[in-house]
Amino acid sequence: MSIKFYNTLSRKLEIFKPIEKKTVKIYSCGPTVYNYAHIGNFRSYIFNDLLRRFLLYEGYKVIQVMNITDVDDKTITGANQQKIPLKEYTDQYTKAFFEDMETLGIEKVEYYPKATDHIDDMIELIRKLEKKGYIYVSEGSVYFKISEFKDYGKLSNIDPKGMKDGVRIDADEYTKDNAKDFVLWKKAKEGEPSWETEYGKGRPGWHIECSAMSFKFLGETFDIHTGGVDLVFPHHENEIAQSEAANEKPFVRYWIHCAHLIVDGEKMSKSKGNYYTLRDLVKKGYSPLAIRYLLLSTHYRKQVNFTSEGLQAAQSAVNRIQNFYINVKEQKTENIVDHKFNQVLKKHTTAFNTALEDDLNISEALGHFFELMTDANKFMTDKKLTESDKRSLLEAIISFNTILNILDTREQDKLPAHLQELIEKREKARKSKDYKLSDELRDRLKEENIILEDTTEGVKWKVLK
Ligand code: AMP
Ligand code: ZN
């Protein structure tokens, strides 16, 4: 089966064919580093991670760029409030961003360019636009004239007819009703960082950075551009305008946008104050794996409703998968010939892949994983799993996990000596019927995430994350 993605530009599911046969080039809008990212932002980054991991799983090479916006209205205001240089201010949140990405098991992409390192590339793009007659200067700032670009509105489906020429907007974020000529280069203001350029002393508007940096790392036309749905207008509409006006060729083949994380029916956002950072949730005792699962497990074009019940359900799902993995690893196998496990495994693996190929339908793919678990458990209970079945099953779990990344696959056979000792002490206490000590030791192990199970074959243990 071929891979299909929903392309915001055509408003259709399309068969995915990258420009180069085996390499996919992706640009993903990244964070504005003016504060800690909230978990709504991470919904978007986990969607990027799913897309990336899935393409790698399908055998593609991926070259992905995620920009770091380290100069804009919000970063400048923050730095001024803290009375520190812009770079010092943004560095702390850039560092926090990468720490949080790692906590959530998000794979690093190839390039994380910072806007402030690419001012020259932005100026070069503005120069190109000037030569082609798309810009004008007003009160020292440079604007893109949207009436000159005939396709303006094709992504967000707005009709720019009737908009007055020369009506400008300086803000980076605005709504569709406010479509106006947008700013490429802002004239320097007192107390703001600025760069000396042929367009005067100033700083870039927000939209220009993504076009300039994507050309630099991916070329003038590339395969996929991602972001949250809030970026369709104006950010991505403006990216298309300035990129296609400058290069006179299509900018991006597939635009893929993820829906929001919402709280009580509203988008989670800093401005509404209804947000949690990853750190808030981890401090409250939620595991990063459960948070990852919650953000990952809903289809990317559906909103994720954030609730504590949802997080608990995510935790149970993660535990169930982890326990299943450990059980399979520890499973004693049988010497039988007549069995059908291979077929069952193939059926579920194919269904898992097919679901993801269908516009990254992760919830359906997970459903097939859970069905596989139920079926495999039955084979194990019926003592019908051979050594080769077990190997294939473990391979399938590990391979699913290259996409999900919710499993702790560290070697579980060896525990640190002090924990091994505790388990042995507890075994002794239990055998000599000292249940009080036995329970105390069980609780101490639990604090270390070691769960004991007394079976007919003796005590078994599992590591929970
Ligand atoms: P920002 O730092 O605000 O520029 O946003 C960074 C990324 O997070 C963008 O791709 C946004 O679309 C995305 N984003 C912001 N809020 C949410 C949310 N509540 N749910 C999903 N994605 C979001
Ligand atoms: Zn962008």
Side-chain angles (χ1 to χ4, degrees), residues 232-448:
V232 173
F233 188 89
H235 187 49
H236 291 164
E237 193 68 66
N238 291 351
E239 278 188 40
I240 291 179
Q242 62 208 3
S243 305
E244 298 192 351
N247 299 330
E248 297 175 52
K249 55 175 87 140
F251 175 41
V252 169
R253 313 257 318 265
Y254 303 85
W255 286 91
I256 312 183
H257 291 99
C258 77
H260 285 143
L261 179 77
I262 56 165
V263 193
D264 298 329
E266 277 198 286
K267 176 190 171 198
M268 179 177 281
S269 73
K270 295 255 167 60
S271 59
K272 292 201 180 85
N274 60 350
Y275 68 93
Y276 293 97
T277 64
L278 178 63
R279 286 148 203 252
D280 293 334
L281 294 179
V282 172
K283 237 185 252 155
K284 283 188 176 183
Y286 291 109
S287 97
L289 284 183
I291 300 167
R292 176 177 173 91
Y293 188 92
L294 178 77
L295 299 177
L296 179 77
S297 53
T298 300
H299 189 282
Y300 78 90
R301 283 196 287 124
K302 288 206 175 109
Q303 292 184 331
V304 178
N305 201 2
F306 180 77
T307 60
S308 59
E309 293 79 29
L311 258 180
Q312 272 150 20
Q315 182 72 66
S316 311
V318 169
N319 290 350
R320 210 179 131 195
I321 295 173
Q322 181 72 24
N323 284 337
F324 172 71
Y325 169 64
I326 296 169
N327 281 341
V328 175
K329 274 190 30 164
E330 290 172 353
Q331 184 64 31
K332 283 216 177 102
T333 53
E334 312 294 329
N335 245 335
I336 48 163
V337 193
D338 179 28
H339 68 94
K340 304 219 158 27
F341 186 73
N342 252 333
Q343 285 166 27
V344 171
L345 180 61
K346 190 153 189 282
K347 180 181 90 181
H348 292 303
T349 310
T350 308
F352 179 90
N353 296 348
T354 307
L356 287 171
E357 284 164 4
D358 182 15
D359 197 28
L360 294 176
N361 195 338
I362 185 72
S363 42
E364 200 180 308
L366 283 165
H368 293 298
F369 191 5
F370 280 104
E371 281 172 22
L372 168 64
M373 294 200 309
T374 309
D375 286 349
N377 279 333
K378 192 155 186 313
F379 271 80
M380 292 194 275
T381 318
D382 295 349
K383 302 204 179 314
K384 281 190 178 161
L385 202 75
T386 67
E387 189 56 31
S388 120
D389 294 338
K390 174 172 164 174
R391 231 176 303 125
S392 315
L393 178 56
L394 282 172
E395 266 169 28
I397 302 170
I398 299 288
S399 151
F400 292 172
N401 193 53
T402 61
I403 298 181
L404 307 172
N405 200 24
I406 47 164
L407 214 52
D408 183 354
T409 52
R410 282 175 305 183
E411 204 39 71
Q412 308 254 341
D413 302 341
K414 289 187 202 87
L415 278 182
H418 74 287
L419 295 178
Q420 196 60 49
E421 232 168 72
L422 280 181
I423 293 179
E424 280 158 22
K425 256 194 198 163
R426 189 221 162 231
E427 238 339 57
K428 262 192 206 154
R430 195 170 69 97
K431 282 196 177 134
S432 58
K433 299 201 164 42
D434 184 351
Y435 295 119
K436 189 166 170 282
L437 179 62
S438 159
D439 285 350
E440 269 172 31
L441 291 168
R442 177 194 277 271
D443 288 347
R444 271 185 51 199
L445 282 156
K446 201 170 168 194
E447 280 165 22
E448 305 261 3

Side-chain angles (χ1 to χ4, degrees), residues 30-32 38 40-41 43-45 227-228 230-231 259-261 267-268:
T32 306
H38 58 68
N41 299 130
R43 203 259 155 139
S44 170
Y45 305 136
D230 54 314
L231 298 187
H260 285 143
L261 179 77
K267 176 190 171 198
M268 179 177 281

